[in-house]
């Protein structure tokens, strides 16, 4: 009912003594659907915030409003410096206007998704807030009262049809009457119920924020599940707008983040599959080097001038058909394939690097989705969006900000922080309490994480490789042996105000390893 006629009637009654005598000192917009009007009498300031979107519109009255330094535009300049001399609520209509000292009128038309604010001078529209509603220029603020026959004769003639006699009631009063078994009553009883309802609407004792069908609503009637009660319509309007925007903002931003993460994860996994398939093809199915090896090993089995030959492929343990060139000896053909293999080797290396990046992206996206699943309210969502700012950035920016290197062995993922700042992000945001945390003992270096797998114990070989990485990416990189501490992540904590990468570790064990990257290919 926040835009119901009966609520606006109460709201304008409360606003009238507050606004009359105040001077409009600012009128601006910071986005296309919001208008801020600031009024003052030098001793105090009063703000009207009109939010007029296509799916929600409301008025609220913040105690103060901090205007942004950029991306704002001054509007309704003709009203600046004028004083409010009157506030007029239209009869049976969801609109009112401010009468200004220079003879202008500022009309507030609150018609749901067609709401608008229009400045008039001598019954002519001077400026429209939403210019898309061109027909609003033809309105006349002095002729917007709606006269309705609402006596018993009209009620009887309509056979108690509320929409015909009381179109201003709207949804909640109709719901209230339905709870009073309105439809089952005789006509005279219906009339009495309506008169009792009108008494409540025109003289409300309180204003309610109620939850009806899961949505928050502002009501003059005690319907639904009442969550808050307010004695003042201005206070109620502020609370409703704040609550509504908080709840719908949470739902929309949560869904947007979820969709964006899921879509990006799906795309990354698809690329990952394509890269893996291409690598398999280059390493085995179409390896120039392997084909050349097979031909060189079977030179005596290839007839002269042959354009096709069946040979045993000792890489796949199968007999395969190979196409040759009749103008080229098998040796020359193999030499050409070896030259191609050099370029193919570069392509394989590039694909392997891309594969590693995509694995890292998948892990980050899965972690983010898991963290998002734990979000329950708007406050938690704000923290999530602050901790995962890359959700709102491009894929290139996200890739650049991945805080760790990723290695994989025996089905376990090993994460290695790239810097002190990245160590914090890795340990605090991408690690869970059952993961194994490792670090070179008593020196600076990367945080290393072995991701936990439910029902599986980390093999000693995996632990050793992770420890070697912790030693390799530390100040002990060039030592012959390096002690590495390890413990479940739940025993690692970061003190408030500690330097980047600094943590306190408890219940750690020590493993002595040779500093090296066990995943680097030995030449």
């Amino acid at each position: 009912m926040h835009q119901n006629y009966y609520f606006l009637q109460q709201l304008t009654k409360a606003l009238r003594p507050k606004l009359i005598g105040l001077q409009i000192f600012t009128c601006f917009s910071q986005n296309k659907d919001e208008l801020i009007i600031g009024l003052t009498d030098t001793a105090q300031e009063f703000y009207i915030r009109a939010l007029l979107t296509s799916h929600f519109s409301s008025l609220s009255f913040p105690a103060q409003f901090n205007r942004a330094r950029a991306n704002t535009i001054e509007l309704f300049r003709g009203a600046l410096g004028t004083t409010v001399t009157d506030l007029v609520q239209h009869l049976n209509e969801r609109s009112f206007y401010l009468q200004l000292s220079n003879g202008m009128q500022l009309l507030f038309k609150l018609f749901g998704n067609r709401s608008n604010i229009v400045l008039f001078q001598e019954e002519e529209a001077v400026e429209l807030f939403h210019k898309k509603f061109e027909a609003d220029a033809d309105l006349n603020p002095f002729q917007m009262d709606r006269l309705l026959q609402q006596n018993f004769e009209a009620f009887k003639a309509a056979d108690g049809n509320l929409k015909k006699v009381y179109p201003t009631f709207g949804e909640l009063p109709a719901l209230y009457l339905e709870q009073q078994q309105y439809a089952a009553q005789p006509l005279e009883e219906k009339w009495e119920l309506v008169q009792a309802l009108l008494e409540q609407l025109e003289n409300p004792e309180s204003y309610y924020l109620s939850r009806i069908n899961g949505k928050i609503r502002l009501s003059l009637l005690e319907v639904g599940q009442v969550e808050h009660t307010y004695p003042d319509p201005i206070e109620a309007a502020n609370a409703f707008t704040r609550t509504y925007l908080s709840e719908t903002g949470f739902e929309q931003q949560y869904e947007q983040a979820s969709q964006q993460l899921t879509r990006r994860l799906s795309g990354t996994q698809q690329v990952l599959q394509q890269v893996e398939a291409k690598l398999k093809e280059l390493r085995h199915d179409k390896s120039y080097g392997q084909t050349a090896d097979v031909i060189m090993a079977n030179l005596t089995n290839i007839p002269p001038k042959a354009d096709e030959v069946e040979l045993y492929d000792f890489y796949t343990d199968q007999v395969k058909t190979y196409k040759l060139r009749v103008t080229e000896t098998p040796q020359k053909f193999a030499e050409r394939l070896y030259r191609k293999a050099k370029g193919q080797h570069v392509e394989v290396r590039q694909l392997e690097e891309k594969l590693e990046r995509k694995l890292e992206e998948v892990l980050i996206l899965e972690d983010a989705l898991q963290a998002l699943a734990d979000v329950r309210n708007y406050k938690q969502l704000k923290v999530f969006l602050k901790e995962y700012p890359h959700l709102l950035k491009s894929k290139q920016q996200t890739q650049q900000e991945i805080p760790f290197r990723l290695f994989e062995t025996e089905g376990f993922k090993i994460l290695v922080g790239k810097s002190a700042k990245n160590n914090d992000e890795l340990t605090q945001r991408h690690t869970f309490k059952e993961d194994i945390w490792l670090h070179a003992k008593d020196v600076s270096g990367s945080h290393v994480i072995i991701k936990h797998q439910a029902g599986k114990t980390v093999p000693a070989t995996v632990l050793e490789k992770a420890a070697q990485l912790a030693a390799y990416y530390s100040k002990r990189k060039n030592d012959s042996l390096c002690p590495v501490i390890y413990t479940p992540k739940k025993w690692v904590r970061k003190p408030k105000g500690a330097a980047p990468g600094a943590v306190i570790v408890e219940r750690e064990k020590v493993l002595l390893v040779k500093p090296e990257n066990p995943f680097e290919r030995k030449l």
Side-chain angles (χ1 to χ4, degrees):
M1 293 184 72
H2 69 290
Q3 286 192 339
N4 179 278
Y5 164 68
Y6 294 97
F7 176 72
L8 289 179
Q9 194 176 39
Q10 302 303 318
L11 181 64
T12 52
K13 281 182 185 178
L15 286 174
R16 193 170 187 274
K18 290 182 177 292
L19 294 183
I20 291 178
L22 297 186
Q23 184 181 83
I24 298 177
F25 71 90
T26 187
C27 195
F28 62 92
S29 178
Q30 296 183 165
N31 66 60
K32 64 184 182 67
D33 294 318
E34 181 186 68
L35 178 68
I36 306 298
I37 302 172
L39 304 98
T40 185
D41 63 358
T42 68
Q44 62 175 337
E45 292 183 353
F46 190 90
Y47 290 90
I48 301 174
R49 181 193 183 204
L51 187 61
L52 311 176
T53 73
S54 59
H55 60 274
F56 177 73
S57 56
S58 74
L59 296 181
S60 58
F61 311 92
Q64 58 182 11
F65 197 94
N66 296 321
R67 182 173 181 174
R69 296 182 178 179
N71 300 321
T72 66
I73 182 172
E74 202 78 37
L75 297 173
F76 298 116
R77 293 180 182 273
L80 296 180
T82 64
T83 301
V84 178
T85 60
D86 200 2
L87 186 158
V88 180
Q89 166 73 51
H90 293 120
L91 180 64
N92 293 320
E93 195 57 276
R94 295 172 295 166
S95 59
F96 65 90
Y97 67 86
L98 302 181
Q99 180 64 51
L100 305 180
S101 57
N102 63 354
M104 287 184 164
Q105 298 81 38
L106 191 61
L107 173 68
F108 291 75
K109 188 197 83 170
L110 302 172
F111 289 9
N113 60 8
R114 295 181 295 114
S115 296
N116 204 359
I117 297 177
V118 186
L119 183 63
F120 289 88
Q121 185 170 36
E122 297 180 356
E123 301 183 14
E124 294 289 332
V126 175
E127 185 176 350
L128 283 73
F129 178 68
H130 275 318
K131 295 179 175 57
K132 60 183 177 181
F133 300 129
E134 297 178 359
D136 289 350
D138 298 327
L139 295 173
N140 184 335
F142 300 125
Q143 298 179 8
M144 292 181 66
D145 287 344
R146 184 162 52 151
L147 300 178
L148 298 172
Q149 292 295 324
Q150 295 178 331
N151 52 34
F152 182 74
E153 287 72 22
F155 187 78
K156 183 177 180 180
D159 194 27
N161 188 315
L162 295 174
K163 290 185 178 179
K164 291 183 178 180
V165 187
Y166 295 96
T168 53
F169 273 2
E171 179 186 354
L172 295 191
L175 176 63
Y176 179 82
L177 287 174
E178 182 182 322
Q179 294 174 351
Q180 309 297 315
Q181 307 298 317
Y182 177 82
Q185 305 300 323
L187 188 65
E188 289 76 11
E189 290 295 326
K190 287 181 177 179
W191 175 253
E192 293 300 325
L193 286 173
V194 168
Q195 298 313 299
L197 172 63
L198 280 171
E199 176 64 24
Q200 291 188 63
L201 293 176
E202 293 176 348
N203 301 283
E205 294 181 357
S206 299
Y207 302 86
Y208 306 97
L209 284 195
S210 299
R211 194 162 299 279
I212 301 173
N213 296 326
K215 295 185 177 181
I216 200 71
R217 303 290 294 272
L218 173 58
S219 175
L220 303 180
L221 305 165
E222 199 168 345
V223 293
Q225 180 184 346
V226 177
E227 296 190 355
H228 298 283
T229 303
Y230 299 94
D232 177 75
I234 295 177
E235 187 180 353
N238 288 339
F240 170 74
T241 300
R242 183 169 58 249
T243 304
Y244 180 90
L245 292 178
S246 175
E247 291 189 0
T248 57
F250 168 74
E251 293 169 2
Q252 292 170 1
Q253 290 188 53
Y254 184 98
E255 186 63 24
Q256 181 181 8
S258 178
Q259 288 179 356
Q260 189 172 356
L261 276 172
T262 303
R263 186 166 54 246
R264 185 170 290 182
L265 177 60
S266 176
T268 303
Q269 288 173 331
Q270 186 176 358
V271 173
L272 192 61
Q273 292 173 357
Q274 293 170 351
V275 171
E276 288 174 335
K278 184 65 176 177
L279 274 172
K280 179 178 178 297
E281 177 184 298
L282 293 176
R283 286 169 175 166
H284 305 293
D285 302 337
K286 292 186 178 180
S287 171
Y288 294 126
Q290 291 182 10
T291 301
D293 289 343
V294 171
I295 290 173
M296 290 300 293
N298 289 278
L299 289 177
T300 57
N301 299 323
I302 302 175
K305 303 291 186 180
D307 62 350
E308 188 176 276
V309 65
E310 286 190 350
L311 300 173
Y312 172 69
D313 181 358
F314 41 81
Y315 286 105
T316 62
D317 194 24
Q318 294 178 349
V319 175
K320 290 185 178 180
T321 300
Y322 294 87
K323 293 186 179 297
L324 305 173
R325 290 187 178 181
V326 296
T327 58
E328 206 170 38
T329 65
Q331 294 95 324
K332 290 291 185 182
F333 184 71
E335 288 175 9
R336 186 162 53 82
L337 290 179
Y338 280 130
R339 287 195 296 271
K340 283 188 174 183
K342 291 182 179 180
Q344 194 176 59
H345 177 71
V346 173
E347 185 178 1
V348 167
R349 188 171 68 250
Q350 291 173 341
L351 285 171
E352 287 174 339
E353 292 173 354
K354 186 174 183 179
L355 181 69
E356 182 179 335
R357 291 198 303 271
K358 293 303 172 185
L359 283 170
E360 292 172 353
E361 289 179 28
V362 165
L363 198 56
I364 277 189
L365 291 168
E366 288 176 341
D367 283 348
L369 278 169
Q370 184 172 342
L372 184 62
D374 294 333
V375 170
R376 294 290 179 268
N377 53 50
Y378 192 67
K379 184 177 180 180
Q380 292 176 350
L381 182 61
K382 288 177 69 176
V383 172
F384 172 85
L385 294 176
K386 186 177 180 180
E387 290 184 349
Y388 292 86
H390 54 278
L391 294 180
L392 304 176
K393 298 180 180 178
S394 68
K395 291 182 180 179
Q396 290 81 2
Q397 288 172 313
T398 302
Q399 181 176 304
Q400 290 171 2
E401 293 183 3
I402 291 175
F404 54 78
R405 301 174 181 87
L406 175 66
F407 303 91
E408 193 165 0
T409 181
E410 299 179 43
F412 285 83
K413 292 182 174 67
I414 302 174
L415 283 53
V416 180
K418 294 179 178 179
S419 67
K421 183 179 178 181
N422 290 156
N423 282 338
D424 279 345
E425 188 173 350
L426 170 60
T427 299
Q428 302 302 321
R429 299 182 187 174
H430 299 284
T431 307
F432 298 92
K433 64 180 183 179
E434 299 303 329
D435 295 340
I436 301 299
W437 184 93
L438 306 93
H439 196 281
K441 184 176 175 61
D442 298 330
V443 293
S444 60
S446 294
H447 293 195
V448 176
I449 303 296
I450 304 174
K451 297 298 289 181
H452 171 71
Q453 292 195 35
K456 293 184 179 180
T457 302
V458 176
T461 51
V462 174
L463 184 62
E464 182 179 2
K465 289 179 180 177
Q468 288 178 315
L469 289 170
Y472 182 75
Y473 289 102
S474 78
K475 293 293 185 180
R476 293 186 183 271
K477 178 179 181 179
N478 298 317
D479 291 2
S480 56
L481 289 173
C482 171
V484 174
I485 60 174
Y486 66 96
T487 188
K489 161 60 175 60
K490 62 184 176 182
W491 303 117
V492 179
R493 59 186 176 88
K494 185 174 183 65
K496 187 175 182 180
V503 294
I504 293 177
V505 184
E506 299 174 349
R507 304 194 186 187
E508 73 272 21
K509 297 180 181 179
V510 179
L511 187 64
L512 197 63
V513 295
K514 178 182 178 181
E516 66 177 354
N517 183 347
F519 299 94
E520 284 187 345
R521 292 186 176 182
K522 302 296 189 294
L523 299 177

